[in-house]
Amino acid sequence: MRVLASVMVSALALTAGLAAANAAPPEFQTLPKPEASPALAVTTVAEGLDHPWDIAFMPDGRILVTERTGNLRVIKDGKLLEQPIQGLPEIEEVGQGGLLSVKPHPDYAQNRLVYLTYAEKDPEKAGHRTVVARFKDQGDRFTDGEVIFRGTTVASRHHFGSRMAFGPDGKLYFTIGERGQQDRAQDPSDPSGAVLRINDDGSIPDDNPFVGRDGYHPAVFTIGNRNPQGLAFEPGTGTLWASEHGPQGGDEVNIIRPGVNYGWPVITYGVTYGMGLKIGEGTEKEGMVQPEMYFVPSLAVNDITFVQGDSFPGLQGDIVMALLAGGLVHLDVEDGKIVAGQRLLEDELGRTRDVVQGPDGALYALIDDPAPDGKLVRIERQ
């Protein structure tokens, strides 16, 4: 009876969550501005990066930065080292693909494992795929490289994803876009257009939502995701949030729940590029959830972080999100709902690919330009 009661409580909680997710979402442009949003100052930490994509702060003080063009760069003592990390596999820079996300293992201090996502050319088929690999960090070199997940090979230059986040449960969550072939997002047997969940060695968790179901890929955690570019767990609640590129209009911020269909391309607030034609069946459909918020027009949303500590009182507990359209967005989150929002540093930052909070409490952002204009900047309160 105790097991049955637990299952019933979980089912009720999921039903309540889905009901909330199906409520009409706010459009970013209609949100009020947050009551307190601090004045911010920007300083450059390192210049000369080539399309920087993701940041990882390491326990020894190094900052690792991926360059989409294929190098993993090191910033140490405030300086960009000339020599990138050695020992990486062959990485294909193709369209939106290349070297993407970097994430140290939660127990890095003991095992020195670092995870990368990148685009890989399939030696047997025409096309490329997003892969997840893990390595031993030897300081200036990675060793013992092992691919622990491979996505579907697709002859496309688009929508590789890909962000990673380790959950409070120790599992690795990551995203793969639908590779520019939108129907893949509604195919549960295809890990494209999805949020995925695996163990840290690449094996499949027994409690993944589709494990054991015919026609479903066991690593799939959610479906109907176009091209998620941001992923972060909310401290305290353990809620997983994601930002997702829409088409022309229709960028989304979603709460990621197991087994949920986020609708792409059946429902969307966006339209076709150029001609502005309707996509799919409209903006809602039974069995498909609404975003927490959407953007029309799109601002090309990217990585997200939750601001903690007292460095930014006006941002504490809220989401800050990078924008390829320029700068950042502050989203005021109250009790799991976005209640206010505004753009920050639109002119000061330009095309922003990533934003994270560093160990010193400051925010750090990557400006996604080709070398020598790509850079890492530090953001603090004035």
Side-chain angles (χ1 to χ4, degrees):
M1 290 296 292
R2 187 173 300 171
V3 172
L4 179 58
S6 176
V7 171
M8 290 177 66
V9 168
S10 297
L12 289 170
L14 179 58
T15 300
L18 293 180
N22 278 320
E27 182 182 351
F28 173 72
Q29 285 77 1
T30 68
L31 290 172
K33 288 188 176 182
E35 292 183 3
S37 195
L40 302 174
V42 180
T43 56
T44 298
V45 176
E47 298 178 294
L49 295 166
D50 194 6
H51 289 293
W53 216 90
D54 199 10
I55 311 166
F57 287 90
M58 307 304 288
D60 60 6
R62 292 176 302 154
I63 304 173
L64 301 185
V65 176
T66 60
E67 294 178 321
R68 181 171 50 80
T69 46
N71 285 323
L72 181 59
R73 305 299 299 274
V74 180
I75 298 170
K76 187 175 181 180
D77 299 327
K79 296 181 180 179
L80 177 65
L81 302 188
E82 183 175 347
Q83 183 82 347
I85 295 288
Q86 301 296 295
L88 269 58
E90 184 173 348
I91 293 167
E92 289 286 318
E93 183 196 5
V94 50
Q96 296 171 353
L99 180 56
L100 303 174
S101 193
V102 55
K103 191 70 63 178
H105 191 282
D107 294 326
Y108 171 87
Q110 285 72 45
N111 59 33
R112 299 191 65 82
L113 291 176
V114 177
Y115 293 71
L116 297 174
T117 65
Y118 55 90
E120 174 190 72
K121 185 176 182 180
D122 191 328
E124 299 179 355
K125 300 178 182 178
H128 300 80
R129 56 200 175 196
T130 301
V131 305
V132 181
R134 66 176 184 177
F135 304 83
K136 278 285 185 70
D137 179 12
Q138 307 294 352
D140 61 353
R141 171 177 295 274
F142 281 3
T143 62
D144 304 313
E146 175 189 11
V147 174
I148 62 172
F149 188 91
R150 283 187 165 95
T152 305
T153 298
V154 182
S156 164
R157 298 167 56 87
H158 304 297
H159 300 181
F160 288 83
S162 166
R163 295 289 176 184
M164 293 185 285
F166 276 99
D169 55 4
K171 311 303 182 185
L172 179 61
Y173 296 75
F174 61 99
T175 69
I176 299 179
E178 31 76 301
R179 301 301 318 283
Q181 298 180 1
Q182 57 189 32
D183 291 342
R184 290 181 180 275
Q186 289 297 322
D187 180 357
S189 69
D190 190 335
S192 308
V195 177
L196 295 306
R197 178 179 184 255
I198 58 177
N199 294 316
D200 63 357
D201 62 357
S203 60
I204 305 298
D206 293 337
D207 58 348
N208 269 9
F210 300 122
V211 165
R213 293 181 61 176
D214 290 340
Y216 287 76
H217 193 291
V220 168
F221 195 70
T222 69
I223 66 172
N225 303 101
R226 184 175 183 267
N227 191 24
Q229 292 280 287
L231 201 63
F233 282 91
E234 183 177 2
T237 69
T239 302
L240 181 58
W241 293 70
S243 62
E244 183 171 323
H245 277 193
Q248 182 176 308
D251 285 359
E252 296 180 358
V253 175
N254 288 296
I255 290 179
I256 300 302
R257 299 178 174 91
V260 167
N261 187 339
Y262 290 86
W264 175 257
V266 181
I267 60 172
T268 177
Y269 287 86
V271 295
T272 61
Y273 289 109
M275 298 186 69
L277 301 176
K278 176 183 175 181
I279 298 173
E281 301 179 17
T283 59
E284 59 182 295
K285 184 175 182 178
E286 185 177 355
M288 298 179 178
V289 304
Q290 292 289 299
E292 299 304 309
M293 188 195 66
Y294 68 94
F295 293 78
V296 176
S298 294
L299 295 179
V301 298
N302 254 263
D303 205 12
I304 61 178
T305 192
F306 281 90
V307 178
Q308 299 297 296
D310 57 6
S311 297
F312 301 95
L315 305 177
Q316 191 173 32
D318 293 342
I319 289 173
V320 171
M321 179 166 57
L323 301 176
L324 293 183
L328 307 172
V329 157
H330 168 207
L331 299 177
D332 187 353
V333 179
E334 301 290 343
D335 298 323
K337 291 294 181 183
I338 298 170
V339 298
Q342 69 175 11
R343 293 183 70 171
L344 304 172
L345 303 174
E346 179 179 353
D347 297 325
E348 293 87 344
L349 295 186
R351 181 180 170 89
T352 308
R353 175 66 71 174
D354 190 23
V355 60
V356 298
Q357 190 171 20
D360 59 357
L363 292 173
Y364 289 79
L366 290 175
I367 308 306
D368 181 10
D369 285 324
D373 297 323
K375 58 187 177 181
L376 173 67
V377 301
R378 184 176 188 268
I379 303 164
E380 56 191 332
R381 199 169 31 149
Q382 285 185 348

